[in-house]
Amino acid sequence: MLFSKIFIPTLREIPAEAEAASHVLMLRAGYVRQLASGLYIYLPLAWRVMDRINRIIRKEMNAIGAQELSMPALHPAEIWEKTGRWHDIGEEMFRLRDRGGRDMCLGMTHEEIITWLASMEIRSYRDLPQIWYQLQTKFRDEARPKSGILRTREFIMKDSYSFDRDEEGLEASYGKHAEAYHRIFTRCGLKYFQVESDPGMMGGATAHEFMAPSPAGEDTIVLCDSCGYAANTELALSVPPAQGAHAGEKEEDVATPGKKTVTEVAGFLKAGPERFIKSLVLIDGNGPFLALVRGDQELHEKKLQRIVGEFRPARREEVRDILGVEAGFIGPQGRDMRIIADASLREGVYISGANREGYHRRGIKPGLHFDAEWKDIHIARGGDGCPTCGALLREERVIEIGNIFKLGTKYSVPLKAVYLDEQGQERPVIMGSYGIGPARIAAAAIEQNSDKEGIVWPRAIAPFDVEVVPLSRDDREVWDTAMKIEGQMQDAGLDVLFDDRDERPGVKFKDADLLGIPCQVIVGKKGLQRGVVEFKVRKTMEKEEAAPSDVTARVRAVFEGPEVCPA
């Protein structure tokens, strides 16, 4: 492919609106352009990257027996109403009406549609198992689109769905997808973790996410390097650091005038925040209740929501009306109301509000001074102990690149996707759902593989394998040699970008490094006088010399190294 014949509108300046490295570089290198907030045009180079990623996905999905199909992006509301998600999902769903007044939506996912199809076509246990997948455009009205193609309102997703007779079959399908995902992300050249996750709006019992570490990540995971425990902080367990011994501390009220927060009182009393109980007044459908976490921890709202359902914080005036004391001086002792306390508070001696203005109480002992429902409701963080082996956890910012869910019968029951077993009994199909974001793979690859000069694509997903750079259009030997090398590489199965522009060498070098194509072959007059051309590996920036007749074999040797050859 001639550089002059492909649209590559590079930029020299860093775009003001871009923050994430992948966003900056995809704009600068002419891979994407923004149409509106959360809407991007994929230019030719980016689309070549997407095509390579999608080919890898298709190959690995096909290898586990999945069959590709395509479902509409426009959905009738009544199918979503049957599962309840038409009402459960909020403003992130794009809704519209057709000319007949029928409620419709743009699909943000396809569980309802694929289950409807299964309900029409699957009749017998002989029809199972099935795995169906698609690469389809999804729509989500993101409240805060950001980070370029990482969080958008229109995006392509590979979503697949498994249909099995029983839980044993689902376990097998789930395992096949997990293994396929490991192969996909490895082939795409990513560092990643498989972590436990919250099923969220997808429902079901079990879920895992595949996370690529990056400072631009919008999620946080905790990891144990000792035993391998890994989980999204949305549900991660941990053991907070020990409080220390204060068993002999006597029970007494101490004046803390004007001091309300843990930080303020801890400083005033010269005690560490782990010595405190943080009492939060919350209200659910049954009325007010207290949630307690240690002073050095934060309440995990989603964990608590899974225990009590929907709730909200009490307003300041409500706190006084309910408990008779101002927020900041509340303690759990003597309270005749529901108390849910983090399990880390079960042992120890604590300081908390004294239930009177301007005072806190020392010497509070759980089980003696208050009773509670003991639950894990704190946010796990780096420095906490691993719940499995006790070693210290560490945190990573990550980009979600894929997810897998055990749906069970969440969709098959309301949509009547059933089959007849060997005894002629009607049973619901057992389902799984599995997603991958190809654009997120591309962005994560840039986040993990870039430098001050530009992008450094992993070989398997780069838009081209090699860029051939002749340093002169006018020197016939330089030009002819470069053209001959391009032909040899094409014959060897390599995809080549040939920089035929009439530009200064410095401009060509800058653009080559910015675009991030894995290998560069530079053909110049001085080198040819010595019978060599220059060969450069973009990842290491190492340069070698080779005879023009040998350089194709040299490139192939690099591609046959530790990384996988391009798909």
Side-chain angles (χ1 to χ4, degrees):
M1 174 73 73
L2 298 179
F3 201 121
S4 64
K5 301 300 182 184
I6 186 170
F7 183 56
I8 309 175
T10 58
L11 302 173
R12 295 300 171 216
E13 301 298 323
I14 296 176
E17 72 274 18
E19 296 178 0
S22 56
H23 191 192
V24 170
L25 290 172
M26 293 192 89
L27 288 170
R28 281 194 56 215
Y31 281 78
V32 298
R33 287 295 182 263
Q34 183 172 331
L35 173 64
S37 177
L39 299 175
Y40 282 84
I41 298 168
Y42 289 77
L43 300 179
L45 286 182
W47 202 240
R48 292 178 71 92
V49 171
M50 293 287 283
D51 179 62
R52 283 195 158 186
I53 293 170
N54 290 341
R55 279 193 281 161
I56 291 171
I57 290 171
R58 283 189 168 101
K59 184 170 184 178
E60 296 299 342
M61 292 305 300
N62 294 344
I64 65 170
Q67 304 163 78
E68 186 172 5
L69 46 71
S70 180
M71 292 176 280
L74 182 65
H75 304 169
E78 55 261 30
I79 298 178
W80 287 76
E81 288 173 339
K82 288 180 180 179
T83 64
R85 292 208 297 176
W86 180 261
H87 306 288
D88 294 342
I89 296 173
E91 294 180 349
E92 59 266 37
M93 179 184 281
F94 282 102
R95 303 169 198 262
L96 65 153
R97 287 184 176 173
D98 64 16
R99 66 176 64 195
R102 187 185 193 190
D103 284 326
M104 310 286 285
C105 69
L106 297 178
M108 54 195 301
T109 184
H110 278 73
E111 280 74 24
E112 278 78 2
I113 311 308
I114 200 78
T115 310
W116 176 90
L117 177 64
S119 73
M120 296 292 106
E121 304 301 331
I122 292 175
R123 293 286 177 265
S124 164
Y125 69 92
R126 295 186 181 88
D127 299 327
L128 299 170
Q130 295 284 339
I131 299 176
W132 300 335
Y133 80 99
Q134 66 172 350
L135 284 152
Q136 174 62 283
T137 302
K138 313 286 188 186
F139 299 88
R140 182 185 179 94
D141 196 1
E142 282 282 356
R144 293 175 299 278
K146 65 176 185 178
S147 302
I149 63 172
L150 275 174
R151 181 180 285 184
T152 58
R153 295 193 293 166
E154 177 181 327
F155 53 95
I156 295 171
M157 179 183 285
K158 186 289 298 177
D159 49 322
S160 56
Y161 306 89
S162 62
F163 304 89
D164 286 284
R165 299 169 55 182
D166 49 32
E167 292 292 337
E168 184 178 353
L170 172 59
E171 191 66 34
S173 296
Y174 197 82
K176 285 181 181 180
H177 276 85
E179 292 171 4
Y181 277 30
H182 282 281
R183 291 191 295 270
I184 288 166
F185 300 132
T186 299
R187 289 188 65 188
C188 289
L190 295 182
K191 302 182 185 79
Y192 65 93
F193 304 102
Q194 179 180 334
V195 304
E196 297 175 22
S197 67
D198 181 3
M201 76 165 191
M202 300 294 291
T206 303
H208 288 83
E209 292 169 325
F210 292 80
M211 300 294 210
S214 164
E218 55 207 353
D219 288 298
T220 303
I221 61 173
V222 292
L223 303 157
C224 178
D225 293 324
S226 178
C227 71
Y229 176 78
N232 193 310
T233 53
E234 288 186 343
L235 87 168
L237 305 177
S238 73
V239 181
Q243 182 204 44
H246 303 282
E249 186 171 66
K250 68 176 183 178
E251 184 183 354
E252 64 175 346
D253 287 359
V254 292
T256 53
K259 305 295 189 289
K260 299 179 181 179
T261 68
V262 169
T263 301
E264 291 171 344
V265 181
F268 185 74
L269 298 180
K270 296 181 172 54
E274 74 281 358
R275 299 275 315 281
F276 288 78
I277 295 174
K278 194 184 300 182
S279 302
L280 305 169
V281 185
L282 306 170
I283 298 174
D284 66 4
N286 297 314
F289 66 98
L290 282 181
L292 310 181
V293 292
R294 227 169 70 171
D296 59 338
Q297 300 288 317
E298 297 295 330
L299 174 68
H300 197 308
E301 294 186 359
K302 286 189 175 181
K303 286 183 179 179
L304 184 58
Q305 192 177 64
R306 285 194 285 270
I307 298 168
V308 304
E310 294 295 327
F311 68 89
R312 65 172 178 84
R315 295 185 291 272
R316 184 173 294 275
E317 62 274 15
E318 288 178 317
V319 172
R320 181 176 286 279
D321 291 343
I322 294 165
L323 299 179
V325 66
E326 186 179 350
F329 300 104
I330 302 165
Q333 60 278 10
R335 291 294 180 192
D336 184 20
M337 62 191 306
R338 186 181 189 186
I339 299 176
I340 300 173
D342 188 71
S344 64
L345 290 169
R346 198 162 194 167
E347 303 292 334
V349 181
Y350 295 93
I351 302 167
S352 188
N355 291 321
R356 60 175 176 142
E357 305 284 330
Y359 286 85
H360 281 73
R361 181 170 295 182
R362 294 180 181 273
I364 297 174
K365 298 178 181 178
L368 176 63
H369 295 112
F370 70 92
D371 290 316
E373 300 170 38
W374 302 103
K375 306 288 184 180
D376 183 307
I377 57 171
H378 70 270
I379 298 175
R381 63 187 186 187
D384 288 354
C386 173
T388 301
C389 72
L392 291 185
L393 297 172
R394 63 181 177 88
E395 290 183 23
E396 286 263 17
R397 295 292 294 172
V398 289
I399 297 167
E400 182 185 348
I401 51 176
N403 49 53
I404 54 179
F405 301 90
K406 290 182 180 178
L407 300 178
T409 60
K410 176 179 172 61
Y411 298 91
S412 58
V413 167
L415 290 168
K416 296 181 172 53
V418 297
Y419 72 95
L420 296 179
D421 66 14
E422 292 94 325
Q423 287 74 43
Q425 297 296 311
E426 192 175 81
R427 300 189 181 279
V429 173
I430 309 298
M431 291 178 57
S433 175
Y434 317 88
I436 285 180
R440 284 177 163 263
I441 291 176
I446 296 174
E447 293 289 335
Q448 294 182 356
N449 301 277
S450 60
D451 57 26
K452 63 184 180 64
E453 304 300 334
I455 300 169
V456 185
W457 285 113
R459 293 194 301 266
I461 63 174
F464 292 93
D465 303 323
V466 188
E467 183 169 358
V468 174
V469 184
L471 299 185
S472 172
R473 286 179 58 94
D474 300 325
D475 188 297
R476 179 52 55 187
E477 184 184 13
V478 168
W479 190 260
D480 289 348
T481 301
M483 291 290 289
K484 186 175 182 180
I485 290 171
E486 181 203 23
Q488 291 171 345
M489 290 185 168
Q490 296 282 12
D491 291 343
L494 298 170
D495 213 349
V496 184
L497 177 64
F498 187 90
D499 193 345
D500 62 328
R501 296 174 299 165
D502 188 13
E503 289 282 4
R504 300 186 310 276
V507 172
K508 292 187 174 188
F509 295 153
K510 282 283 187 185
D511 283 345
D513 287 344
L514 178 61
L515 299 186
I517 294 167
C519 294
Q520 300 169 20
V521 175
I522 300 156
V523 183
K525 185 174 182 61
K526 290 182 179 179
L528 290 181
Q529 288 174 345
R530 296 185 291 109
V532 297
V533 295
E534 191 173 82
F535 168 68
K536 176 179 172 181
V537 177
R538 176 65 183 89
K539 184 174 184 179
T540 62
M541 301 295 271
E542 293 177 355
K543 298 178 181 178
E544 300 179 13
E545 292 181 340
S549 58
D550 295 336
V551 72
T552 297
R554 182 70 190 91
V555 171
R556 290 299 303 173
V558 170
F559 280 174
E560 290 164 4
E563 287 190 37
V564 179
C565 286

